[in-house]
Amino acid sequence: MVAPDPVDARLLAMIAEMGRAAVHEVAARLGMDPREAAARLITLSGSGLPLLVGVECDPNGIRKALANSVAWGSYSGPGGQAVRGTPSGPYPPAPGTVHGTPSGSYPGHPGPQGPPSAPFPAQHGGSGPVPVSEPMSTWGVPGTSGWARGDQAPAPRSRTGKIGTTLETEGLEGARLTIQLVEVVDPADFLFTAAGYKLAVGERAVVVHTELANVGQVPFNSLPDMYLVLMTNKGETVAKAPVSLSSRPPHKIGIQPGETAGGHTVYVLPEDTVVFSVRWSSRPETDLNTLVWTIDD
């Protein structure tokens, strides 16, 4: 057997440590795209290693989704420093115009911090349909908890808002989450350089503060800001930078039912780029659970 390349070796080491885990959880711990991790694991499994890559589901839930898709008709698979928002945690205001009501202070940071994980880019068979046993009426949005009979479905939840808005969504494993975009610090050059990092000529830093609450019964096992990206006015996405600031603590992996956790995400982008919105998703591509907050100038 040919020795694995360094990325495969990291995957195998993580699998050996965890024993059993979902592919997206392994990918989250390594800072990888889940699709790349899955492809590599399948290849390694076929190379003779004692490794099984499988799928686990709720059979009844899948059958119901297939039945519902028939009635739906189709089914798709998988300057100055401006602080916008109302911070809930205590930090000092940076120089410039401050929008919001921050209070308290975090201690200053004496030197650089190492990246929490490897960088990753922003992304952007079975049997036939099960017959529907009874007539269906009005339907909710596919892929959400409202994807049921219209007389049983709750009112659709908003997936868009502005800074300070709390929106509700679901994780890949069914965890029910509320996410608040607390503040956007743009530019955040002072915070970035105070942590010991340097910006290239023509670059600026942006810091986004989000808070997630797990309001369901299913644990959320991913990194909360893995696919939290900035959207520009040209429709482009800006992925998170692989750095963390001690004065603005980063997110940690996992949120248990009933818990609330906050964190800060750092971005580095051209100084003339106009940030139009912030987008959260539980996967590389957008889906019906994707949340978007627009940013007003």
Side-chain angles (χ1 to χ4, degrees):
M1 183 181 69
V2 180
D5 68 17
V7 178
D8 288 346
R10 291 175 59 209
L11 269 172
L12 292 174
M14 181 60 68
I15 290 293
E17 177 183 341
M18 301 175 72
R20 179 177 181 178
V23 172
H24 75 273
E25 182 179 355
V26 176
R29 295 200 176 193
L30 295 176
M32 294 179 62
D33 186 319
R35 294 174 294 185
E36 179 187 357
R40 286 179 175 271
L41 288 172
I42 291 172
T43 301
L44 290 169
S45 176
S47 68
L49 290 172
L51 171 66
L52 178 63
V53 182
V55 176
E56 185 175 352
C57 74
D58 174 5
N60 291 331
I62 295 297
R63 293 189 184 100
K64 181 184 291 184
L66 286 172
N68 290 347
S69 71
V70 175
W72 180 259
S74 64
Y75 177 75
S76 299
Q81 170 122 336
V83 181
R84 305 184 181 94
T86 306
S88 60
Y91 353 89
T97 304
V98 179
H99 302 282
T101 55
S103 62
S105 63
Y106 273 122
H109 179 55
Q113 298 292 311
S117 61
F120 48 87
Q123 300 291 330
H124 313 290
S127 58
V130 178
V132 181
S133 58
E134 57 180 344
M136 298 293 176
S137 55
T138 305
W139 293 78
V141 180
T144 69
S145 60
W147 199 23
R149 290 187 53 155
D151 55 357
Q152 299 172 352
R157 296 184 296 269
S158 174
R159 305 295 189 187
T160 60
K162 296 185 177 182
I163 296 176
T165 304
T166 299
L167 303 175
E168 188 171 347
T169 187
E170 295 180 3
L172 290 177
E173 297 178 330
R176 291 179 54 222
L177 306 171
T178 61
I179 305 179
Q180 180 186 21
L181 178 62
V182 181
E183 66 173 343
V184 176
V185 184
D186 183 12
D189 299 359
F190 173 80
L191 298 173
F192 194 82
T193 55
Y197 301 108
K198 292 184 178 180
L199 291 167
V201 177
E203 288 184 336
R204 83 175 192 270
V206 174
V207 174
V208 174
H209 178 193
T210 48
E211 287 191 351
L212 289 82
N214 189 334
V215 296
Q217 303 299 318
V218 178
F220 180 71
N221 297 315
S222 300
L223 187 63
D225 63 346
M226 175 173 286
Y227 301 115
L228 184 70
V229 300
L230 302 181
M231 298 291 297
T232 73
N233 62 339
K234 297 181 180 179
E236 300 170 337
T237 60
V238 180
K240 59 182 289 189
V243 299
S244 60
L245 313 176
S246 63
S247 62
R248 299 293 191 274
H251 280 283
K252 296 181 180 180
I253 295 176
I255 305 175
Q256 296 302 309
E259 289 185 350
T260 299
H264 300 77
T265 310
V266 183
Y267 303 86
V268 176
L269 60 157
E271 60 183 1
D272 60 350
T273 298
V274 177
V275 178
F276 178 75
S277 61
V278 178
R279 188 183 75 194
W280 183 94
S281 186
S282 60
R283 62 182 75 223
E285 65 278 3
T286 60
D287 58 20
L288 293 172
N289 288 321
T290 296
L291 306 178
V292 177
W293 295 266
T294 56
I295 297 176
D296 295 328
D297 293 332

